[in-house]
Amino acid sequence: MNAKETVFSHLVELRDRLLRIVIGIVLMSLALFPFANDIYHLLATPLLNSLPEGGQMIATEVATPFLVPMKMVLLVAFLLSSPHSLYQLWAFIAPGLYTKERNLIGPLVLSSVVLLLCGMAFAYFLVFPVVFGFLASTAPEGVAIMTDISRYLDFAISLFIAFGFAFETPIVVVLLVKSGVVSVKALRGARAYVIVGAFVLGAVLTPPDIISQFMLAIPMWLLYELGILVANITSTKVQEIDQIQY
């Protein structure tokens, strides 16, 4: 098989893998479609519980009551089908990797997915109630809180993304050390800058209240420390193995 045929076969396989990913998401969306309103209500529960008596959510556009729950279904379907999607991607790239690379990338991908979900769960169960409770309590007297369901979904997604990616900090730290970009010693020396940067990101990515800023910045700092710890342990183990083989 010449190089041209090899490239073509890889492109065909990539097309098949991507098609399977799309089919998985579509099937999951169809399975969740009957529960679209229930899923959105689950997402809105932290806000609804924080609203004062008489407060409610509204829809300001004609199609919003239908489109917003459907958008939520697609997002949930994407998350729930992510193990299948990751498997398809892994099955495509794994044959071209060395054993050492497979042993590194596999656990990192799995860990990144787990940390992403942990970040989203942290936002939903801990951050949302605090943030919405604070914002509802600061409303001026006589102001009725009626949040548009589309705006709320966008706001929730932005927080999910912020906390989901913030929880990827250990993965980034480990990759930086493994790739030789920085050393564990350099990361420890940059601790003060990382703490300041975490609070700056907290101010940029979260609502304008100091509580949510702290709730993003402090976990980022702690996860940075966790990344240093993991990178140090794995680097030490690799050095010990190399010395034994030598």
Side-chain angles (χ1 to χ4, degrees), residues 19-89:
L19 183 60
R20 292 175 186 176
I21 291 174
V22 172
I23 291 174
I25 296 175
V26 170
L27 291 177
M28 185 63 70
S29 300
L30 292 176
L32 295 174
F33 177 79
F35 311 101
N37 290 334
D38 295 329
I39 293 173
Y40 186 84
H41 182 268
L42 182 64
L43 175 70
T45 297
L47 176 61
L48 294 174
N49 291 339
S50 301
L51 291 177
E53 185 177 356
Q56 58 183 336
M57 303 184 72
I58 61 173
T60 57
E61 297 180 7
V62 176
T64 298
F66 172 78
L67 293 178
V68 171
M70 291 303 101
K71 184 177 180 181
M72 189 65 205
V73 163
L74 288 175
L75 293 173
V76 175
F78 178 81
L79 288 175
L80 293 181
S81 63
S82 60
H84 172 261
S85 301
L86 290 172
Y87 170 77
Q88 297 299 328
L89 294 176

Side-chain angles (χ1 to χ4, degrees), residues 102-124:
R102 287 198 296 268
N103 292 338
L104 174 64
I105 294 177
L108 283 179
V109 171
L110 179 62
S111 300
S112 65
V113 173
V114 172
L115 288 172
L116 177 66
L117 295 177
C118 287
M120 296 176 68
F122 181 85
Y124 180 81

Side-chain angles (χ1 to χ4, degrees), residues 3-14:
K4 186 175 181 180
E5 291 175 341
T6 301
V7 172
F8 181 75
S9 64
H10 285 319
L11 291 176
V12 171
E13 183 184 0
L14 178 60

